[in-house]
Amino acid sequence: MTLAFAVADETKSGREKLATLLRIQNPHFHLCVIPGLLNDTYKIQGQWHAELENRSIPYLQDDKEYSECEVYRYTNGVGFSTNVTESCHAWVYDRSTFDRTVVTDLNLVCGDKMLRTYANMILMGGLLVGSLVLGSLSDVIGRKKVLLIGVAGHFGSSLGVTFVTSYEAFVILRFSTTFFGIGMFLSAFVIGMELVGPSKRKYAGIVIEIFWCIGLFIQNGVAYGLRDWRYLQAALSAPTVLFLSYWWLLPESPRWLINKGKLKEAEIVIKKAAKGNGVELSKKALRLDELEVEGEGERIWHMFTTPVLLIRSLVIFFNWLVASMVYYGLSLNVGGLSGNIYLNFFISAVAELASYIFCLLLLDVTGRKPLQCISMLVGGVACIATMAPVITDAPEWITMVLSMVGKFGASAAFAVIYVFSAELFPTVMRNSGMGLSSFSARIGGVVAPYIADLGDMVDGHFGVALPLIIFGGASVLAGLLALLLPETLDRKLPDTVEDAKNFAKQKKASAYVLDNMAEEKDSSNGKYNQAFTPDGSY
């Protein structure tokens, strides 16, 4: 029986079949509770249930589905009205995929549907504010302290979400979770970049993204096994407490310690690193008190004081914004793709993992600048190409493939710009610069849903294509602008604003060059680790 025929069939049997058929084809996951029916369920319980639902819930001819938010008025002793509807205040949910979600627990549907959008905006707001506040704080009190603050705050907030019973508490704790989470991630990333030499920076910058991707696979597997959102939230939050052990396991960034004049602490970290690498540094190489540290008092706004640094910073920020906009736009759209949501998420994570391996293999071959440009162009062209199957009603797998190619490009661009930015910002403001970059990324994340909604304001195929044109065009533009940035491959990190200003002109030595000292090899074994020479590039 076709849908058109079923709609026209007004017999009792036809109406029962119609209700069952619509349940199969209805793309939504909730319906109003049938008035007067105790213990109503989303799943059809029999012909009597299908007939009762067909008489109590309006059928929308234009949408070819039952109304999700209205029922026919019901009067005891009289029954259902045939032409008077009213808003419902209770719903039944499809639990074939999830047992319980935040949406089903808090009834974030119909009139409260926009609360879901607000919750996501508040989530991105936590990332945005955390990037600014904790990113800057890390340059003041240290990377390690902010990392531990982030761990403690993220653990408490994310575990607390498990027990919320109100929308207000949910969004407050979600804001707190991402606020501390981004501070934790940025600090960990910067410590990793500052602890290694030029030849190892690609591993520090990209491998952390690979672990991020491993987390996606773990999340998908745990979510597949735990279909109740509270159990899932608790299971994913609890292990965070283990990272408190980093207070004893993780050293502070020696680069930050030296810039803050904490030379004794820096010496301890350097000695431990040298011992771990099997290197014995001479006494001359450890005379940190003789170093002349420059850049004291410089802040992130000093990067905007000259045209070259201003343009460079704006290009970096724009690349972060667009990479985030495309990345999160495609990531959050996984649930909107056809097929099983867990399989789609898995495929999306595979595409992301492939992009990081791609970056790991090519980052030191092509350099940062070409790879950033190529990644952005791939993501942009894939977004624009997605218009074709959308407009022509091509098979859904084509849309899926193009979406995954776009995810590949956006993920690669995100990974490269993380490394690229950390290498371009000077030490005295590196975490602040990364925080401001992350702030720009969150603007992209907040703006993305509004760009996607532009399609609702324009009729026809152009309305469908408009968001894709904007996403793809912005990505292509960002990729081309990346060509204005100086290459950082095998270059030592800048320590001051002056270093950053002259970065593209020459390989300026650090204010505390110790490579000559380090060349005084130990006579006992002659071991010398070039990657660890404290010349401003470790």
Side-chain angles (χ1 to χ4, degrees):
M1 177 183 291
T2 65
L3 183 59
F5 180 79
V7 171
D9 191 343
E10 292 298 323
T11 65
K12 176 180 179 180
S13 176
R15 292 174 67 88
E16 293 166 354
K17 292 179 180 179
L18 171 64
T20 305
L21 179 61
L22 286 174
R23 275 302 181 81
I24 297 173
Q25 298 191 178
N26 191 345
H28 305 289
F29 69 99
H30 66 88
L31 287 172
C32 295
V33 168
I34 297 174
L37 180 63
L38 299 177
N39 300 321
D40 191 13
T41 62
Y42 185 90
K43 183 179 179 180
I44 296 293
Q45 299 300 314
Q47 291 187 354
W48 64 270
H49 191 194
E51 181 180 358
L52 187 59
E53 182 177 275
N54 204 31
R55 287 191 288 113
S56 61
I57 300 179
Y59 173 69
L60 307 178
Q61 294 284 355
D62 293 339
D63 297 331
K64 299 293 189 294
E65 62 185 41
Y66 283 121
S67 172
E68 296 178 308
C69 304
E70 291 186 328
V71 293
Y72 288 119
R73 180 171 295 174
Y74 177 76
T75 305
N76 284 327
V78 178
F80 294 101
S81 168
T82 58
N83 55 8
V84 180
T85 62
E86 59 186 8
S87 298
C88 59
H89 304 287
W91 295 266
V92 290
Y93 296 96
D94 179 8
R95 302 187 186 277
S96 60
T97 302
F98 309 109
D99 294 338
R100 293 170 66 194
T101 68
V102 175
V103 172
T104 62
D105 274 11
L106 302 181
N107 290 317
L108 304 181
V109 294
C110 297
D112 290 331
K113 186 176 181 178
M114 283 301 295
L115 294 179
R116 287 184 277 176
T117 301
Y118 299 150
N120 285 329
M121 289 177 59
I122 292 171
L123 178 79
M124 298 302 295
L127 293 171
L128 186 148
V129 178
S131 299
L132 282 181
V133 175
L134 296 182
S136 299
L137 185 64
S138 181
D139 283 334
V140 178
I141 68 173
R143 286 54 162 133
K144 180 178 175 178
K145 289 180 181 177
V146 170
L147 172 61
L148 270 297
I149 290 173
V151 168
H154 185 272
F155 170 70
S157 302
S158 58
L159 194 61
V161 173
T162 306
F163 305 100
V164 300
T165 57
S166 68
Y167 178 80
E168 293 77 12
F170 174 73
V171 295
I172 289 173
L173 285 173
R174 286 258 285 179
F175 176 92
S176 181
T177 297
T178 53
F179 174 88
F180 288 108
I182 192 62
M184 176 174 61
F185 185 86
L186 287 176
S187 297
F189 181 86
V190 171
I191 286 180
M193 291 293 289
E194 292 183 341
L195 278 173
V196 300
S199 63
K200 303 298 187 295
R201 286 203 296 262
K202 72 171 183 178
Y203 298 108
I206 302 299
V207 171
I208 191 175
E209 304 290 354
I210 292 178
F211 275 93
W212 163 279
C213 208
I214 292 173
L216 295 180
F217 288 115
I218 294 173
Q219 180 187 31
N220 194 46
V222 175
Y224 184 81
L226 299 176
R227 304 298 178 94
D228 187 311
W229 78 275
R230 294 185 187 274
Y231 296 142
L232 176 62
Q233 182 73 23
L236 295 176
S237 302
T240 308
V241 72
L242 299 176
F243 294 116
L244 292 174
S245 63
Y246 280 15
W247 178 260
W248 298 277
L249 300 177
L250 185 70
E252 179 57 89
S253 165
R255 180 179 284 275
W256 178 84
L257 290 171
I258 291 173
N259 270 277
K260 290 299 181 180
K262 301 177 182 291
L263 304 183
K264 291 293 184 183
E265 296 176 46
E267 181 180 336
I268 294 173
V269 175
I270 291 172
K271 284 182 177 179
K272 285 184 178 179
K275 183 178 180 180
N277 287 337
V279 175
E280 294 185 25
L281 296 175
S282 67
K283 293 181 179 179
K284 187 177 181 181
L286 289 172
R287 290 174 186 167
L288 302 182
D289 55 333
E290 296 180 2
L291 301 180
E292 181 184 349
V293 179
E294 295 180 356
E296 187 174 355
E298 292 181 338
R299 295 293 181 266
I300 185 61
W301 54 82
H302 291 132
M303 286 291 288
F304 312 137
T305 55
T306 61
V308 64
L309 294 182
L310 175 61
I311 293 173
R312 187 181 302 170
S313 298
L314 292 178
V315 170
I316 292 172
F317 298 153
F318 186 67
N319 269 264
W320 274 79
L321 186 151
V322 175
S324 173
M325 186 169 64
V326 178
Y327 174 88
Y328 285 111
L330 294 173
S331 296
L332 295 174
N333 192 49
V334 168
L337 298 174
S338 61
N340 184 280
I341 187 173
Y342 298 103
L343 179 60
N344 290 344
F345 191 91
F346 177 82
I347 295 173
S348 176
V350 169
E352 189 168 344
L353 178 61
S355 74
Y356 298 147
I357 296 174
F358 172 79
C359 291
L360 197 60
L361 294 175
L362 293 184
L363 198 60
D364 281 354
V365 177
T366 64
R368 282 61 163 149
K369 181 164 62 174
L371 194 57
Q372 177 67 16
C373 178
I374 292 171
S375 299
M376 277 295 194
L377 291 179
V378 168
V381 171
C383 274
I384 296 174
T386 307
M387 292 187 304
V390 169
I391 292 175
T392 60
D393 294 326
E396 293 178 340
W397 67 265
I398 297 180
T399 303
M400 180 70 174
V401 170
L402 288 173
S403 177
M404 292 304 103
V405 172
K407 180 68 177 296
F408 178 94
S411 300
F414 225 150
V416 175
I417 198 62
Y418 255 102
V419 177
F420 209 0
S421 304
E423 293 178 334
L424 287 170
F425 285 112
T427 300
V428 291
M429 60 189 67
R430 181 162 296 118
N431 221 106
S432 298
M434 294 295 289
L436 201 53
S437 298
S438 184
F439 174 86
S440 304
R442 307 318 150 196
I443 294 176
V446 171
V447 169
Y450 290 98
I451 296 176
D453 288 342
L454 289 176
D456 298 331
M457 304 177 187
V458 181
D459 295 330
H461 289 316
F462 182 72
V464 177
L466 183 58
L468 299 172
I469 293 173
I470 295 175
F471 285 138
S475 188
V476 170
L477 177 60
L480 295 176
L481 288 176
L483 296 176
L484 298 176
L485 299 173
E487 181 55 65
T488 60
L489 177 61
D490 291 332
R491 300 286 298 277
K492 69 183 184 66
L493 301 181
D495 290 306
T496 67
V497 171
E498 191 65 25
D499 290 346
K501 192 186 304 182
N502 296 310
F503 193 86
K505 299 178 182 178
Q506 58 184 343
K507 188 173 181 180
K508 183 183 172 94
S510 170
Y512 44 95
V513 178
L514 298 184
D515 42 354
N516 291 331
M517 300 179 189
E519 288 175 359
E520 184 181 328
K521 304 176 185 179
D522 183 86
S523 59
S524 59
N525 55 25
K527 290 184 179 179
Y528 172 55
N529 186 349
Q530 180 66 44
F532 187 71
T533 55
D535 61 349
S537 58
Y538 53 80

